[in-house]
Amino acid sequence: MGRYNPDSAEIIRRVALKPVSIGLLGLGTVGGGTVKVLKRNAFEITRRAGREIQIVAAAARNLKHPRQCDTTGMRLTMNPFEIVADPEVDIVVELIGGLAPAKELVLKALDAGKHVVTANKMLIALHGNEIFAKAQERGLMVAFEAAVAGGIPIIKAVREGLAGNTVEWLAGIINGTCNFILSEMREKGRDFAEALAEAQALGYAEADPSFDVEGIDAAHKLTILASTAFGIPLQFDKVYVEGIRGITALDVSYAEALGYRIKLLGIARRTGEGIELRVHPTLIPARRLIANVEGVMNAVLVKGDAVGPTLYYGAGAGAEPTASAVVADIIDVVRTLTSDPENRVPHLAFQPGAISDIPVLPMEAVETAYYLRLSAEDKPGVLADVARILADHRISIEAVIQKEPRHGETQLPVILLTHRVRERELNQALRRIEALPTVGGPVKRIRLEPLG
Amino acid sequence: MGRYNPDSAEIIRRVALKPVSIGLLGLGTVGGGTVKVLKRNAFEITRRAGREIQIVAAAARNLKHPRQCDTTGMRLTMNPFEIVADPEVDIVVELIGGLAPAKELVLKALDAGKHVVTANKMLIALHGNEIFAKAQERGLMVAFEAAVAGGIPIIKAVREGLAGNTVEWLAGIINGTCNFILSEMREKGRDFAEALAEAQALGYAEADPSFDVEGIDAAHKLTILASTAFGIPLQFDKVYVEGIRGITALDVSYAEALGYRIKLLGIARRTGEGIELRVHPTLIPARRLIANVEGVMNAVLVKGDAVGPTLYYGAGAGAEPTASAVVADIIDVVRTLTSDPENRVPHLAFQPGAISDIPVLPMEAVETAYYLRLSAEDKPGVLADVARILADHRISIEAVIQKEPRHGETQLPVILLTHRVRERELNQALRRIEALPTVGGPVKRIRLEPLG
């Protein structure tokens, strides 16, 4: 960049008066990415922040492990507690993940008067209320953009960009592993197990993939998004969570035939009675932009009452996309170092004294549409029986696919799309349908959202 | 919202100690929308900002004009200069548009020590450098999120959310009128004039649509985006601008047959030699998310070196979407009222002392791919002549469509897609092709970007 006049060194000298010192906890994938991005983009970052940002110390599990990143100029230690107590450190960046010792480290960093940047969604979703209360008390910042949807600046968008809106609902593809698996299933006709094996081979899924495929990771992120959107406390335990293990190639192809795609969505919605918080596989119209988000990419659709629908798309994981969010947070915190705590953007977007206790609804109180697949005997009157039960529960049918029996088959798949109904009503109807002598086994149910 | 405990009044009392006073210039579409959103969402906004935000005075062109919004509690005047001088006003919100008297009003507001929020893209693109210099001198903020892409928080995303990145390029659908016209042409096979008439009938295009369809409005927005992405001065006069009047239904359908869609894009790209700034119709692969942004919606694709591609989508115009951005800016400014000017986010994302004079490249130095449509005589050897000229200029051909002549036709349309080439080379080749005796008339050329 030395071609420009004034040159880089002169610009740095001119704008960067007070360097800021970072203590980094964790030199794994995201930690290494953060080191790389801070070094490679030092010039652009300093031009923006007006400060040089230096990592003065870093903690790693194993100092002999070969590093992907250049750690020149950093004191390296295997004891992260040294770093949170280091008087030279202005901002602690926690990239260890998990609850222990991350939670203790973050609390100790706050006790030591340091601002914190973290990418730890589990920590924020589970212990954020406690962490933010302590930070608030001490007049410190805890920034966590990287905890949700990797490099997409979605926390900032919801917390600041849409601050003039009453958020009506949001729906996000916030787990790249599940989105990759569902994309593979649709594009290649694969079943879940095959697509999961492919994700594991490519490093998109862990050896034990439960955390991702069972929806827990998405639920952590949804918990955080919902608090910043609605001004409610973090309530991970109130999120309804259903993963994608039960989705079959058959469901994916029926959904497609009906004009829908199946995505694992995290959905938060404000209703007259409370807040819905739910993670589950969802049929969404194939023509929606978010239905076309494929592979490991993430996207979040946010509906504000003034702005209407807005969508944010990008890489939801990976070393440098996550580092992009970590560094943006560091720059934000650098700007608040000297600001009046009262005028800062609140941790969860809403003032701590203004958090609302609007209830989170149980799943039975949620209203949504449904895709139902059942196996019925090839006899006249079966569909009429099913339709009558649905009608008894005031559930209207939007579409039906009934397959012709192939040679020798006596059980036929029947696919129904319903209009919106309360889950409690649907459950009652399904119990009756499953009790019909002509219906074999349980009814497969996938929720459907128009997102329009 | 009184159902929650503590109730709204108690929350407001608890968090909202110091009301902030707004002076509003303009009570037209966006001004009216801003009044509505501030009133309707007063509770949510106060919960976020920690302050009540009150419009104490508003200027309108005609006080007898019936209002869509409730102006209770505001002093109304036909003289906007009263408002910028009013000692009671903390923040001036300029929603008049155009250059006169908006520029004078904004400068006078700054002289009077007031922060400014504006939705005026023309004013910022043409006079932003001067306005920001004065604001900087006086330690004041000028916020302009609403000037680009309406309700999409794209300025915030580029300026803060992606602050850790070196931005490589960005490409945006940032004029809803043009996007509506191009969507209509593709979906209904209409020609430009018909689609424009439809846009006018629906209120999406002005009676004199030049500003939109000739790309000027998009160029204003691109100017602003490029400065916040690259840290360069606002340079509207260096933007290459080409509108959509020349796009025919034929081009739209050939593009579609080749797997592309035609969109009016604003493109800013960093190359080894400088910055490209250009607005023109562009073929983009139909499978890209941004290619599926239809109607009056806007979207901006930003490629950062760390984060990779990110996309931001939403309503680019309209009363309440624009008001959403205006109110977000007001809240941001409220937070800076007591902050140290040195630590604020700089107006154009980069520190004023660190703006770079990296050159903006002339269009002839830009490298891109091309869609070419020419009319050739139905004689052997014509395509060979064209291909030889392209080869002479080292222009590779990616695809060719040559139509069979219909009865009585002697001229055939030939469509070529080229690989990337510098525009200067292409211009030279086109002059030679147009001079061929077998080629009739000028060659139609539309640029093509893979955006991948």
Side-chain angles (χ1 to χ4, degrees):
Chain A
M1 303 258 166
R3 273 170 291 103
Y4 318 138
N5 179 23
D7 71 13
S8 345
E10 162 63 15
I11 284 181
I12 298 282
R13 197 195 55 74
R14 192 191 297 166
V15 303
L17 297 174
K18 296 159 278 188
V20 173
S21 296
I22 304 294
L24 188 62
L25 310 181
L27 273 173
T29 306
V30 178
T34 300
V35 172
K36 276 193 208 172
V37 170
L38 275 173
K39 293 208 171 207
R40 187 177 69 230
N41 290 341
F43 178 62
E44 289 292 276
I45 291 169
T46 307
R47 285 175 73 206
R48 291 191 178 98
R51 304 271 196 105
E52 274 188 279
I53 293 165
Q54 300 170 335
I55 302 175
V56 294
R61 222 173 351 205
N62 183 344
L63 295 183
K64 297 200 181 79
H65 199 282
R67 303 264 153 241
Q68 299 289 317
C69 63
D70 170 14
T71 55
T72 317
M74 304 174 200
R75 269 179 299 107
L76 295 181
T77 172
M78 281 170 64
N79 180 4
F81 288 93
E82 265 177 34
I83 290 182
V84 300
D86 185 339
E88 200 197 344
V89 167
D90 300 311
I91 302 170
V92 168
V93 177
E94 186 277 301
L95 302 175
I96 295 175
L99 297 182
K103 184 185 172 190
E104 198 187 340
L105 286 164
V106 165
L107 292 174
K108 283 218 151 77
L110 294 171
D111 281 330
K114 297 181 195 317
H115 299 273
V116 173
V117 171
T118 176
N120 193 330
K121 50 221 164 200
M122 196 199 290
L123 178 64
I124 297 299
L126 269 57
H127 300 290
N129 297 324
E130 179 187 348
I131 290 167
F132 297 143
K134 183 181 279 264
Q136 181 70 20
E137 217 179 273
R138 307 287 310 242
L140 296 165
M141 282 302 298
V142 177
F144 53 92
E145 180 67 78
V148 182
I152 308 172
I154 184 65
I155 297 292
K156 185 173 279 283
V158 172
R159 192 183 53 194
E160 301 163 41
L162 304 183
N165 290 263
T166 297
V167 176
E168 296 175 357
W169 53 265
L170 58 84
I173 294 173
I174 46 183
N175 182 276
T177 308
C178 288
N179 203 52
F180 176 84
I181 291 171
L182 293 169
S183 295
E184 283 288 295
M185 289 175 71
R186 189 182 66 81
E187 285 165 16
K188 302 186 184 153
R190 289 183 170 169
D191 227 319
F192 173 77
E194 280 178 289
L196 170 59
E198 173 75 9
Q200 286 169 322
L202 290 167
Y204 295 151
E206 311 277 334
D208 175 2
S210 326
F211 211 68
D212 290 314
V213 301
E214 284 168 10
I216 314 292
D217 175 75
H220 287 150
K221 295 165 182 166
L222 180 69
T223 301
I224 301 171
L225 280 176
S227 285
T228 54
F230 303 126
I232 56 175
L234 295 154
Q235 298 164 80
F236 171 71
D237 56 327
K238 302 247 177 86
V239 182
Y240 171 83
V241 190
E242 183 181 316
I244 62 167
R245 282 192 199 273
I247 303 297
T248 65
L250 202 62
D251 295 316
V252 170
S253 84
Y254 284 132
E256 184 138 45
L258 289 157
Y260 293 86
R261 302 238 170 120
I262 300 179
K263 296 288 183 187
L264 183 75
L265 290 188
I267 299 173
R269 187 193 305 265
R270 183 196 300 262
T271 77
E273 296 158 49
I275 304 280
E276 299 175 4
L277 288 184
R278 45 194 172 105
V279 171
H280 53 68
T282 317
L283 271 77
I284 54 181
R287 66 182 182 282
R288 297 269 179 259
L289 221 49
I290 194 170
N292 294 283
V293 171
E294 302 292 0
V296 294
M297 300 304 278
N298 280 201
V300 182
L301 186 52
V302 185
K303 173 82 173 356
D305 68 334
V307 73
T310 59
L311 181 112
Y312 309 85
Y313 163 90
E320 294 211 0
T322 309
S324 168
V326 169
V327 175
D329 270 352
I330 293 173
I331 296 172
D332 265 6
V333 170
V334 164
R335 297 197 194 287
T336 72
L337 287 177
T338 57
S339 76
D340 176 355
E342 229 182 68
N343 292 303
R344 287 188 197 143
V345 183
H347 291 102
L348 286 173
F350 290 76
Q351 301 291 327
I355 298 297
S356 128
D357 63 352
I358 178 169
V360 175
L361 300 174
M363 197 58 200
E364 289 236 308
V366 164
E367 196 180 279
T368 179
Y370 295 86
Y371 160 103
L372 304 175
R373 175 165 60 82
L374 52 99
S375 206
E377 278 179 36
D378 181 23
K379 282 186 182 167
V382 179
L383 187 60
D385 290 342
V386 170
R388 192 177 337 102
I389 294 174
L390 291 173
D392 285 351
H393 291 271
R394 290 170 306 280
I395 301 170
S396 324
I397 299 170
E398 161 88 28
V400 179
I401 301 183
Q402 191 167 11
K403 286 282 168 190
E404 288 299 306
R406 278 178 296 185
H407 180 70
E409 278 183 331
T410 56
Q411 292 278 323
L412 286 183
V414 178
I415 289 89
L416 296 144
L417 300 187
T418 76
H419 282 132
R420 296 181 79 77
V421 56
R422 223 168 258 260
E423 185 130 328
R424 186 179 297 113
E425 280 296 328
L426 186 90
N427 288 343
Q428 287 166 3
L430 289 193
R431 276 194 290 274
R432 289 180 57 196
I433 291 170
E434 285 168 351
L436 287 173
T438 46
V439 168
V443 177
K444 175 67 162 290
R445 154 250 307 270
I446 308 175
R447 295 171 190 87
L448 182 155
E449 291 285 346
L451 298 183
Chain B
M1 303 258 168
R3 274 172 292 100
Y4 318 138
N5 180 22
D7 71 11
S8 347
E10 163 61 18
I11 284 181
I12 298 283
R13 196 195 56 73
R14 190 192 300 167
V15 303
L17 298 173
K18 296 159 279 189
V20 173
S21 296
I22 304 294
L24 188 62
L25 310 181
L27 274 173
T29 306
V30 178
T34 300
V35 172
K36 274 191 210 175
V37 170
L38 276 173
K39 295 209 171 208
R40 188 178 66 230
N41 290 339
F43 179 61
E44 289 292 277
I45 292 168
T46 307
R47 284 175 73 206
R48 291 191 179 98
R51 304 272 197 105
E52 275 188 278
I53 294 166
Q54 301 171 333
I55 303 174
V56 294
R61 220 168 1 199
N62 183 344
L63 294 185
K64 297 203 182 75
H65 199 282
R67 303 265 154 241
Q68 299 289 318
C69 62
D70 170 14
T71 55
T72 316
M74 305 174 199
R75 267 179 299 106
L76 295 181
T77 171
M78 283 172 65
N79 180 5
F81 288 92
E82 266 178 34
I83 289 181
V84 301
D86 184 339
E88 198 197 346
V89 167
D90 300 309
I91 303 170
V92 168
V93 177
E94 185 277 300
L95 302 174
I96 295 174
L99 297 180
K103 184 185 174 191
E104 198 187 339
L105 286 164
V106 165
L107 292 173
K108 284 222 151 78
L110 294 171
D111 281 330
K114 297 180 194 319
H115 300 274
V116 172
V117 171
T118 176
N120 193 330
K121 51 222 163 198
M122 195 200 289
L123 178 64
I124 297 298
L126 269 59
H127 300 290
N129 297 323
E130 179 186 347
I131 289 167
F132 296 143
K134 183 179 280 260
Q136 182 69 21
E137 218 179 272
R138 308 287 309 245
L140 296 165
M141 282 302 299
V142 177
F144 52 92
E145 180 66 78
V148 181
I152 309 172
I154 184 65
I155 296 293
K156 183 172 283 282
V158 172
R159 192 182 56 193
E160 302 164 40
L162 304 182
N165 291 264
T166 298
V167 176
E168 296 176 355
W169 53 264
L170 60 85
I173 294 174
I174 46 182
N175 182 275
T177 308
C178 288
N179 203 53
F180 175 84
I181 292 171
L182 293 169
S183 294
E184 283 287 293
M185 289 175 72
R186 189 182 66 81
E187 285 164 18
K188 303 187 183 153
R190 288 182 170 168
D191 226 319
F192 173 78
E194 277 178 290
L196 170 60
E198 173 74 9
Q200 286 169 321
L202 290 168
Y204 297 150
E206 310 276 334
D208 175 2
S210 327
F211 209 68
D212 290 314
V213 302
E214 283 166 11
I216 314 292
D217 174 74
H220 287 149
K221 295 166 182 165
L222 181 69
T223 301
I224 300 171
L225 280 176
S227 285
T228 54
F230 303 127
I232 57 176
L234 295 154
Q235 298 163 82
F236 172 71
D237 56 329
K238 303 247 177 83
V239 182
Y240 172 83
V241 190
E242 184 182 316
I244 62 166
R245 282 191 198 274
I247 303 297
T248 64
L250 203 61
D251 295 316
V252 170
S253 84
Y254 284 132
E256 182 138 47
L258 289 156
Y260 293 86
R261 302 237 170 122
I262 301 178
K263 296 287 183 188
L264 182 76
L265 290 188
I267 299 173
R269 188 191 305 265
R270 183 195 300 262
T271 77
E273 296 160 50
I275 303 280
E276 299 175 3
L277 287 183
R278 46 196 173 101
V279 171
H280 53 68
T282 316
L283 271 75
I284 55 181
R287 67 182 181 282
R288 297 266 180 260
L289 221 49
I290 194 172
N292 294 284
V293 171
E294 303 292 1
V296 294
M297 299 306 276
N298 278 202
V300 182
L301 186 52
V302 185
K303 174 81 173 359
D305 69 335
V307 74
T310 58
L311 181 113
Y312 310 85
Y313 164 91
E320 294 212 359
T322 309
S324 169
V326 168
V327 175
D329 270 353
I330 292 174
I331 297 172
D332 266 6
V333 170
V334 164
R335 300 198 192 289
T336 72
L337 287 177
T338 57
S339 77
D340 176 358
E342 230 182 67
N343 292 304
R344 287 186 197 144
V345 183
H347 291 101
L348 286 173
F350 291 77
Q351 300 291 328
I355 298 297
S356 131
D357 63 352
I358 178 168
V360 175
L361 301 174
M363 197 60 200
E364 289 235 308
V366 165
E367 198 181 276
T368 180
Y370 294 88
Y371 159 102
L372 304 175
R373 175 165 60 84
L374 51 96
S375 206
E377 277 181 34
D378 181 23
K379 280 187 182 165
V382 179
L383 187 59
D385 290 343
V386 169
R388 190 175 339 100
I389 293 174
L390 290 173
D392 286 351
H393 291 272
R394 293 169 303 282
I395 301 169
S396 325
I397 299 170
E398 160 88 29
V400 180
I401 300 182
Q402 193 167 13
K403 286 284 171 190
E404 289 299 306
R406 278 178 296 187
H407 181 71
E409 277 183 331
T410 57
Q411 293 277 325
L412 286 184
V414 177
I415 289 88
L416 296 145
L417 300 188
T418 76
H419 282 135
R420 295 181 80 77
V421 56
R422 224 169 258 261
E423 184 129 330
R424 186 180 296 112
E425 279 297 327
L426 186 91
N427 288 342
Q428 287 166 5
L430 289 192
R431 276 194 290 274
R432 288 180 56 198
I433 291 170
E434 286 168 349
L436 288 171
T438 46
V439 168
V443 177
K444 175 64 161 293
R445 154 250 308 267
I446 308 174
R447 296 171 189 88
L448 182 156
E449 293 285 345
L451 299 184

